[in-house]
Amino acid sequence: MVEGKARIACSGIAVAPVFEVKDAGLELEKIIAGSVERELAAFEQAVDVARSQLTALIDSLPADSEAAEIMEMHLMMADDPDLLDPVRKLIGNGGISAVAAMLKAGTEQAEEFKSLDDPYMQARSADILDVSRRIACAAAGVEYQPALSARSIIVADDLTPSQTVGFKREFIAGIVLRHGTMNSHAAILARNMGVPSLIEATELAAGLSGKILAVDAVNGRYYVEPDNETLRHLQEIKNDWDKEQLKLLALRGKEAIAPCGHRILTAANIGSPDEIEFALDNDCEGVGLMRSEFLFIGRDDYPSEEEQYQAYARVASALNGRPLIIRTLDIGADKKCPYFNLPAEENPALGLRALRICLTRPELFKIQLRSICRAAARGKIRLMLPMVISITEIQKTKALLQECAQELSLEGKEYVLPPVGIMIETPAAAVLSATLAKEVDFFSIGTNDLMQYTCAIDRQNPRLEPFYDPHHPAVLELIRQTAVNAHQAGIFVGICGEMASDPVLTDLFIEFGIDELSVSPSRILALRHRILNSHAHCLNERPSNCNF
Ligand code: PEP
Ligand code: MG
């Protein structure tokens, strides 16, 4: 048995076989399309490579076994003109790499199979995706990895947001990253799902696929091929941990009112609409941040207005009258979306991202705004803009919202113009918060980016850990000022960055008069417990005319 130390990104205990993520994800935007001839040649060569891999695999499997039969089918697919010809056609049109063309055509065919009535044909859609990915990996020159298909502990150096959302939730028993940071989106998504997770497991060896790994994300330890005594010990830790969780469940239905009288809304951050059930199980009093970009990530084309509308309306109706803050698209930096065809940038965290993309592509932005306005007729929806640095951006968005409202009226579609708020996640917005507050209905402080931009510390870079102070006084001061300015202007102020669940800061946030703390669902009840037992005194109570 080998054991080691790591940092806890999400608490819990898990024991399962390892699924090692070898490639760093096919980052399509990094693969620049060459000439048509070059991409076609690369594609034909990739098909040959995939076929040789499959032949070697079949030879290594027991003849007539089910696994061998499935691989035989994959080998046939890797020669099927129905799958391959559309790729050749796409490449022939120019401007697309062999990798992107294979994934696009494969996904389209898989979708077609999924929509067929015959369950056998529907099930083939996963095989088509698998073969397409094998060929795409060969074209990209990265090692192919089959999809996660059984409950496992995911082990990787690090995970991109699109890789993390690409795994089926029911198969993720735990996550262990050799690197990673607390505020990276992989860690945030793990917390949203409540998956026991460790980061900075720097000593964890490679080549663990299939081995049993025990994750003790209560004490920050892991065990490779744990012995029976360790497993017994972990079971005891898990029993105690479960008991603590059970005690917290007794807080469901209670309002989070601090002994000083200050009331805080304890809300949930969610990525996908599927996470709302887990958030409700943890008694969220609303959703303080729905990261709408996860509707866009991990797919090959934009979600339609209808698709977005359905997703927002589903969450709003599940919340049954509780508020839902939908943050408009925040891609860019680590959240990649290849089909946006964004140019490669020297400093993507400071680049064309979030609202900047939306305002540069208003036609695209309006699809999202229209879907949010339509969903607002189905529940208590609020619209929130990320990465704001100026009042003009808010005004431009409001003008687009007006256009959407007029169009929807003319089309006879039901809609409501939702209240508009902004994230305070750039130092510029925090410094200007007194002015910005007059233009919007609420603020939500995004401490993950506020920290990164105020302290000039890349939130993705684990090497900066020694310089990273999670309670940096400059950031705390910006939060305080923002809260004061919000209440002076009579508007509501929340925090939706990861600092919102930091137990050391709860008292301070009560003092600052923060109205809402929005955290990963698994952390809501522990936060409520701290608020109910706080010794702090609120110094910045919300004015009585401020509603939300
Ligand atoms: C933040 O920056 O604090 C935030 C909540 O947004 P994200 O983590 O998605 O950038
Ligand atoms: Mg942010």
Side-chain angles (χ1 to χ4, degrees):
M1 177 177 81
V2 176
E3 59 177 289
K5 277 197 305 199
R7 277 182 84 190
I8 301 164
C10 181
S11 308
I13 303 281
V15 181
V18 167
F19 178 87
E20 184 126 24
V21 178
K22 293 175 199 140
D23 67 71
L26 287 183
E27 300 211 347
L28 302 183
E29 71 284 4
K30 289 198 178 146
I31 299 169
I32 313 262
S35 66
V36 168
E37 294 69 35
R38 218 181 97 188
E39 293 303 325
L40 272 176
F43 173 64
E44 301 304 342
Q45 198 185 352
V47 173
D48 285 347
V49 170
R51 289 183 55 79
S52 329
Q53 285 174 354
L54 286 163
T55 311
L57 198 58
I58 293 163
D59 289 345
S60 73
L61 291 167
D64 299 332
S65 65
E66 199 186 346
E69 273 173 27
I70 294 172
M71 288 306 111
E72 291 276 6
M73 177 176 59
H74 283 204
L75 185 59
M76 272 160 59
M77 285 178 172
D79 201 22
D80 182 355
D82 284 346
L83 180 64
L84 305 185
D85 283 351
V87 186
R88 295 179 179 116
K89 199 165 158 219
L90 272 172
I91 298 175
N93 292 340
I96 187 164
S97 69
V99 180
M102 180 69 252
L103 290 176
K104 187 169 169 35
T107 311
E108 276 166 16
Q109 200 187 83
E111 286 300 317
E112 269 173 43
F113 271 65
K114 225 195 252 171
S115 65
L116 297 174
D117 289 336
D118 180 350
Y120 175 82
M121 298 305 254
Q122 282 173 4
R124 298 291 65 78
S125 119
D127 296 298
I128 294 166
L129 284 178
D130 210 4
V131 173
S132 306
R133 190 169 163 81
R134 183 184 286 280
I135 297 173
C137 283
V142 295
E143 195 174 343
Y144 164 77
Q145 179 154 47
L148 178 65
S149 57
R151 203 161 163 73
S152 312
I153 309 273
I154 294 167
V155 171
D157 286 348
D158 205 349
L159 288 175
T160 63
S162 58
Q163 279 176 309
T164 317
V165 293
F167 299 121
K168 279 214 170 101
R169 170 66 188 93
E170 71 253 40
F171 295 144
I172 314 177
I175 297 178
V176 180
L177 302 180
R178 296 188 182 88
H179 307 301
T181 62
M182 280 300 188
N183 286 341
S184 70
H185 284 99
I188 291 172
L189 290 167
R191 282 195 285 277
N192 282 0
M193 297 184 285
V195 171
S197 304
L198 297 172
I199 58 168
E200 296 179 22
T202 43
E203 308 281 301
L204 186 63
L208 297 179
S209 276
K211 292 196 174 152
I212 298 294
L213 185 66
V215 176
D216 173 358
V218 173
N219 297 297
R221 302 200 67 80
Y222 61 81
Y223 305 87
V224 181
E225 304 207 301
D227 54 31
N228 285 341
E229 200 185 326
T230 306
L231 287 174
R232 259 195 306 277
H233 176 57
L234 286 175
Q235 188 57 50
E236 280 166 21
I237 299 174
K238 182 167 175 354
N239 294 344
D240 288 346
W241 192 77
D242 287 347
K243 268 189 219 149
E244 286 303 311
Q245 300 307 303
L246 220 60
K247 269 195 225 157
L248 288 175
L249 289 183
L251 298 180
R252 285 194 291 197
K254 281 214 162 82
E255 290 190 331
I257 302 176
C260 69
H262 183 64
R263 160 108 168 84
I264 295 192
L265 216 62
T266 45
N269 291 347
I270 62 168
S272 95
D274 293 340
E275 288 167 19
I276 190 60
E277 269 75 41
F278 186 48
L280 287 168
D281 288 348
N282 284 283
D283 198 33
C284 67
E285 294 178 87
V287 164
L289 170 64
M290 177 171 180
R291 290 181 161 95
S292 72
E293 56 276 11
F294 286 106
L295 294 175
F296 291 70
I297 289 175
R299 47 187 291 154
D300 291 324
D301 209 349
Y302 304 97
S304 65
E305 177 183 317
E306 191 57 28
E307 215 175 318
Q308 289 187 59
Y309 161 70
Q310 294 293 349
Y312 305 140
R314 183 183 139 201
V315 178
S317 40
L319 280 167
N320 199 15
R322 282 164 279 194
L324 160 62
I325 301 182
I326 302 173
R327 175 176 73 185
T328 59
L329 185 66
D330 183 13
I331 59 157
D334 62 319
K335 288 179 276 192
K336 309 258 191 257
C337 231
Y339 56 87
F340 275 74
N341 290 318
L342 295 167
E345 294 177 310
E346 283 282 312
N347 292 306
L350 305 180
L352 189 63
R353 54 171 294 197
L355 189 57
R356 299 168 187 179
I357 297 174
C358 291
L359 292 174
T360 317
R361 303 183 182 184
E363 289 315 311
L364 192 71
F365 194 20
K366 277 173 69 180
I367 296 174
Q368 181 170 45
L369 297 179
R370 282 171 55 103
S371 62
I372 294 175
C373 291
R374 287 176 56 202
R378 302 273 305 277
K380 195 173 180 184
I381 286 182
R382 276 91 184 84
L383 184 146
M384 177 160 76
L385 307 176
M387 290 294 294
V388 168
I389 56 166
S390 76
I391 205 152
T392 342
E393 294 159 331
I394 306 167
Q395 288 163 342
K396 281 187 181 159
T397 305
K398 284 185 170 175
L400 289 175
L401 267 172
Q402 287 303 334
E403 280 179 33
C404 292
Q406 274 165 14
E407 288 167 14
L408 290 167
S409 292
L410 285 173
E411 291 163 27
K413 293 206 169 111
E414 209 188 343
Y415 74 92
V416 163
L417 269 178
V420 175
I422 57 170
M423 292 197 67
I424 301 288
E425 56 179 346
T426 63
V431 170
L432 292 181
S433 52
T435 314
L436 300 178
K438 296 188 186 122
E439 192 65 31
V440 295
D441 299 301
F442 65 95
F443 286 158
S444 183
I445 305 173
T447 53
N448 309 335
D449 278 317
L450 189 60
M451 171 70 79
Q452 120 161 311
Y453 296 127
T454 306
C455 296
I457 288 232
D458 178 355
R459 64 193 267 192
Q460 297 295 122
N461 187 344
R463 278 193 293 268
L464 297 176
E465 194 58 41
F467 302 95
Y468 178 81
D469 172 3
H471 307 142
H472 196 288
V475 178
L476 296 177
E477 177 53 19
L478 289 176
I479 297 174
R480 190 193 65 79
Q481 280 174 25
T482 301
V484 167
N485 290 333
H487 285 179
Q488 261 172 18
I491 67 165
F492 179 95
V493 57
I495 299 180
C496 62
E498 293 302 296
M499 269 176 144
S501 60
D502 184 335
V504 177
L505 297 175
T506 311
D507 275 1
L508 196 64
F509 293 155
I510 291 171
E511 234 177 82
F512 287 177
I514 300 296
D515 301 310
E516 177 188 78
L517 289 170
S518 191
V519 301
S520 297
S522 58
R523 294 184 160 181
I524 293 174
L525 294 171
L527 169 67
R528 196 172 293 172
H529 176 75
R530 287 196 303 278
I531 297 170
L532 286 164
N533 293 286
S534 150
H535 295 293
H537 282 274
C538 176
L539 303 175
N540 176 35
E541 204 45 86
R542 181 167 43 161
S544 51
N545 60 348
C546 160
N547 51 34
F548 184 63

